[in-house]
Structure formats: structure tokens, C-alpha cells
Amino acid sequence: MPESEVSLKNPGTPRTSTPAVFPGTAAGEVPVLEPEGGGFTLRWKGRTILSHSSGRPCCGLGRTDFSYRIRHGMYRVRRDRRLSWTWAGAWTSRRLGNGGLEIEFPGLAAFELSVKEGRLRLEPRAVDAAAGRLDLRLSLDPREALYGCGEQFSYLELRGKRLRLQVSEPGVGRGPNYVKLIADLHSGIGGWRDNTYLPMPVFVGSRGLSVLAETDAFAIFDFRRRGEALLSFREIPRAVEIGFSDGLAGAVSDLSGRLGRQPAAPDWCQEGVWLGIQGGREVVESKLEKALRAGARVAAVWCQDWQGIRRTGLGKQLYWNWEWDRDLYPEPEAFTASLRARGVRFLGYVNPMNALDSPQYREGAARGFYVKDREGRPLVVETASFRIAALDLSNPGARLWYKEILRSNLAAGGLDGWMADFGEYLPPEGVLASGEDPRRRHNPYAADWAALVREALVEAGAEGRCVVFHRSGWLGTPRQAQIVWAGDQLVNFMRDHGLPSVLVAGLSAGMSGIGQWHFDVGGFISAAWIRRDRELLARSAEFAAFTPFFRSHEGINPGANVQFDSDPETLSRFSRMTRVYAALAPYHKALAREYRETGLPPIRLPALQYPDSPEARAARDQYLYGRDMMVAPALRRGLRSRRVRLPEDDWIGLWDGAARGGGVFRAPAPFGEPPVWYRRSSPFAGLFETVANAARGTESLRPGRSA
């Protein structure tokens, strides 16, 4: 592109710069490049974006030897070393014919700067076409608290943290801790604290900052140095976008608008629990009737085993052949129609893989629809207990074949929705039909899977009727995935992989543009001494009642875990919380609409609404549910009361109707009545007043009774 007459070539002394002219930018919004010594400072909207000097260059570039392996869905970096590396030094700048600005580091790289839709966009270009790594130092306000990087399970505030961004199974334990150690010694499935199904190269700040990197490859976001974010990419990213908004809420809204917002879920989804049960038609009907007799509000039954089961060393697992098992579920179309006539939907399960002993695998393999090995055969991947092959989503024929399975066997086969599991298993050594490097397609594969599922729903005319929920994702997921769930947790109160990690996941996902989110009530992973007890199930259900969706799970080994109907008291407690959830249906639906309109998630960090409140800024183990409810769930074993921080406002206790202002205090947390308050001025105050009565229903709990 043609340059203007102005060119700055590594000026040796400070001078006043002339701001570049960016079309469509208002006064005060024009980026300003200020030479300083032998370097420069790039400012925009009064904030420093890049600071470059010989002692602290703003970027570096080089060739890299990077590889990783996948084991049980978790990535392990094998090599990550620089083959050649150069930190930026001398620089020039020029104005471009389109009104933008280019900063060039001769012989190394150039950055084209433009302002688009109110965001500053930096587009890097490497001189060396083989360059495979870029490190970029963004300047930050040291006072700014940082959140995001997708759905994180251990880290909410990111300052001081270094996060590896790669779609991955989290592993077991997510240590370092003793559970991770045992899992690694047993089968190599221990995970790390930054392992997550849904990382995203995005973050937001408490002073209005939002950052989005357009990249597909492995990245590391390092926030350990005060006043700086070191973004390290294992490819040259397409762009890094930076926005500044009015506070944290504005940043979240801006980022969500850039990412796209999740499609609406069907209206029935928030009318009651999605009851996780399995075992065949007779078992499902019996358990459903038991729940209804106990006064539970049931919107759906979720039956993973609709397509068959297998017994493994881990417990009861699924067949992975996506059609009805008519021995377990005889006359399935009539069965699901009879459920629907009673106001109960039927949900199933699917993923982008087939087991090697399934009929669908034999068909897909014959047609060349799976990721291949170097010899052109389907690449066999080992899960924790059986062998599978992953669909090649780069193959147009494979996409059409799988969409037809989803349309015919699921959407038109009697199902009202399903869990769309996995998305993490694209192996780096595979061969894709497109010829692309699977190391570059690993992260986008999860979003491609969500896109395929949505295409099938839309083409079947079922998007307004069926619901789909995903666990894995990357950039692109918010536009495609109706609902996200938090994946597989341990059935205990462990901080990094049990019930407490769910709250961190929900809050960080919300800060990253994911608003329609939920988790497995009761958890999933049990092994050896780790088994679900009555207290864990009760506390999990209490938490879920104040989230967008309420779905239970029997767990990987149902016989080892307490279930919703294991004893009368557990059934009563569980049913009570389904009534609480159902009574809040108008509020759930209003929050879903608000998310789609503004990008603000239903599950909110208190500081999102009360940025000036010290109580809100300090609250890390409680959350706002929408604008009007403060929820402080019991997330530790044996807890019967807990510390609560309320920002200054006019609050009403949900269970006792007592008025309270702000402050820090200890609140009772009996079973069935988790600490919850609502704002007196809320337009839903009348609805909230009815919740306690709805909870009592035909059965009541004795407050404080121990599990």
C-alpha cells in the first residue's frame, strides 16, 4: 500500500508525532505513536497499548520446533523450543493509503493498525514466511483486574498467572495434588490447573479493557509481570483486537458482541430439571414416576444410553453408535411421544467419534470419513477404556454423512436434544482430507463440531424445538453452541476438580462470552474412595437451582454414587430444589434474553454490577445471578454457615424475607436453603417472594439437618 510523506526511521531523540488518520474515528480515539528515545509508545483512548525500547522490545519473532501429543484427550507438550529468535529493535512507521498506520521492524515483521467498529486492530505480518512463533507484549494498567481466557476451573483473576491455551480434557485431579499424582501413577490421566475443555484467547479487565486474539494454534497468555501481558503464539495470529469500554460490564458486553452470542435454547428448557437417568425404558419410566410423585418438576429425561452401553473398568460407558438401541428402548418413537404428552422431553447423547466395534464405524471407515494415519487408514485413538476413530470435519463428505445421522437418527428420530460431547480428540499426528496441519486445526475442531451440529439442527427445522449442549470449544463456539456445560468434575468438594471448581468455571466462562452455561448436578468422575454422598448431591442441586439450566448426572459409575432417589430424604431435598428452579423460570428466561441483547452473562462476578463496592470486589466464592439475586452456595463439606459479602443495596433474604443492607457477615446455610438475597427494587421481587412457598410444595425440610 502507498505510504504518506511522513516516515519515522528509528528516531534517536523524542519528538512529537503526528497521529495517523483513521477513517470513522472520533476525536480522542485516534491511535497516537510517540517516539521515545530509540523506541516508541503507542497510545489509544488515553491508554498505552505497546511500549517498545531496546531494553524491553514489544515483540519477538522466530522459527520454532513445537509438538505435542494427545493422551486420553489431554495434550502434553513434547517440544517447544526456538530454532531461531529475534527481538524487535529498529523500527519505522508509515501511514497507509486506507488511512491506517503500519509499524515495521525491518527484516523481521510489520504490524498494520486500524480502528474497526470501535476496536483497535493489530494485524501482524512476518518477513520470514516460515516463522512459527510470535511473542507480543501488551501494556496493561497495573490497577486492572483481569478475567477470562475461556472457561477456567482454578483461576478466576488472571494477574500473576500463566495459562496454556489448548483445547484439552482437564484430566483427573487438576493438580498439583494427591489425586493428580495417583491418577498419573495409575494411567497417566492426571491434569493441570490450566487444562480446560474451552480455552479462548480472550480476556477482559476491570477498567474496561477487552482483548481478542484471532488465532487457531497453541498459545500462552502470561500475566505474571505487573502492567503487562505477554501473548505467545505458535503461529502468526491473524490479528489482535483491543477495545476499551465503560468498566467491566462494558468490556464483557463488547467482547461478547465481537465473539457472537449463543443461539436461544427452546422455551421448555427452563421449566424443570433435565433428569439424568438411564437403564432402558422400564427403568426410566419408573424413576421418572418416582420423581414426579415426590413433587419434582421435570422438563426432560436425559438418557445417555439411548444408543447402547458397554461395561468397562471405569464403569458404565456408552456404545458410541448413534442410533436407537431398541432392546433397551423398544418402540422409542412411541415412548418419546408419550413422554412429550406429559410435558417431559427426551434427551440423548452424541459425539464426533465412533467406537471401532460399531456398525457406523464400519460404514465411515469404508468411505474414508475418519482422520487417517500416515498409511491412509483410520487413525485409532485410545480413550481411557476403549478405542475410537474421530470424524474428519475437513472432509465435506464426512460432514454430510454425519449431519444426516444427526438429522435422521436424533432430530427426527424422537429426541428433543442431546449432549454433543467431546471435540478435544483431534490427534496431532493425523492426516486430514484438507491437507491442513492437525496441530493448527486442533483448537478449531471443537468449534467446527458445534457448527456441524447446529447446521444439522437448522436443516432439520429443529433448532427451536431441540436443545444441544457442548463441553469443548474455541473461538467460534459462542456463535454455534446453544448451551455449554462444565464437563466432568469429581464427585466431591475438591477445590480444583470438584464442586468448588464449577463456580470458577461459570464465572470465567461468562467473562469470556459464554452466558448459556450449566454443570453436571452431582458431578461425574468417581473412582476408588471418591464416591458421591448425600451432602455433595444436595449442595450441588442447591447451586444448580440458581443457574440457567438444571441437569443431573448419575456419574460414570452410578452404582457407587448416591442418586436422587437413593433414599426418601435425598429425594425430598432434590425435588425441593427442582421446584425452586422451576419457580424462577420467568427470571431464567429474562436473563437469557438479556444475555442475547447485551452479552452480560446470567452468572456474574459481583464486581460486574458493583464495581465501586469493596465487598463486591472481594467476593470470589459467591455470585450474582443476573442483576437482582446474590447467591452464596455451600461449596465445602460440613458447611452449615458461611461468610457472605453483600455490596451496599436494599437486600431481602429469599427464605426469611428479612431486610439487610450491605456488609460482611456470617449467614446460615441449612440444607435446602442456600444463602440467597434479592434486591427489593427488582422488577421480579414479586416472583422471588413466591419461591420459598414453591420450594415447600408437598414436602418440607427440617433446616440444618445433617446429611
Side-chain angles (χ1 to χ4, degrees), residues 622 642-647 651 660-668 675 677:
Q622 62 190 67
R642 58 154 294 169
R643 175 179 288 188
V644 174
R645 301 175 186 271
L646 284 182
W651 299 99
R660 179 178 283 276
V664 182
F665 57 95
R666 196 154 196 90
W677 292 263

Side-chain angles (χ1 to χ4, degrees), residues 474-643:
W474 186 251
L475 295 176
T477 293
R479 293 183 186 276
Q480 305 295 346
Q482 281 179 328
I483 299 173
V484 165
W485 101 95
D488 304 339
Q489 278 75 50
L490 291 169
V491 294
N492 63 11
F493 291 91
M494 193 172 181
R495 189 195 76 172
D496 288 310
H497 203 189
L499 185 59
S501 70
V502 171
L503 178 54
V504 178
L507 288 168
S508 60
M511 294 299 205
S512 304
I514 301 292
Q516 296 184 168
W517 173 95
H518 73 297
F519 66 97
D520 289 339
V521 173
F524 175 72
I525 301 172
S526 58
W529 75 97
I530 301 174
R531 301 184 177 190
R532 180 196 299 157
D533 62 15
R534 297 162 67 202
E535 183 174 9
L536 186 283
L537 182 58
R539 293 311 198 186
S540 187
E542 290 169 8
F543 182 4
F546 300 94
T547 64
F549 305 96
F550 190 139
R551 178 183 53 80
S552 65
H553 202 313
E554 288 189 338
I556 195 169
N557 193 355
N561 294 311
V562 167
Q563 302 298 338
F564 79 94
D565 59 344
S566 290
D567 60 80
E569 188 170 41
T570 298
L571 178 59
S572 177
R573 287 175 174 168
F574 184 86
S575 300
R576 173 188 176 96
M577 299 322 296
T578 70
R579 294 194 295 272
V580 170
Y581 175 79
L584 289 170
Y587 190 58
H588 300 313
K589 295 173 184 179
L591 296 184
R593 290 191 297 271
E594 183 183 17
Y595 161 71
R596 289 191 294 277
E597 292 168 1
T598 69
L600 295 180
I603 295 177
R604 300 177 189 175
L605 194 69
L608 196 68
Q609 299 290 172
Y610 295 92
D612 299 324
S613 166
E615 291 82 10
R617 291 196 299 270
R620 289 292 184 271
D621 60 351
Q622 62 190 67
Y623 64 98
L624 281 170
Y625 187 45
R627 176 68 178 90
D628 296 330
M629 299 191 89
M630 182 70 80
V631 183
L635 301 178
R636 295 205 314 270
R637 183 175 301 286
L639 207 65
R640 300 299 179 266
S641 67
R642 58 154 294 169
R643 175 179 288 188

Side-chain angles (χ1 to χ4, degrees), residues 651-660 676-678 680 689 692:
W651 299 99
I652 304 294
L654 182 66
W655 309 110
D656 60 10
R660 179 178 283 276
V676 178
W677 292 263
Y678 64 87
R680 186 191 296 273
E689 290 173 4

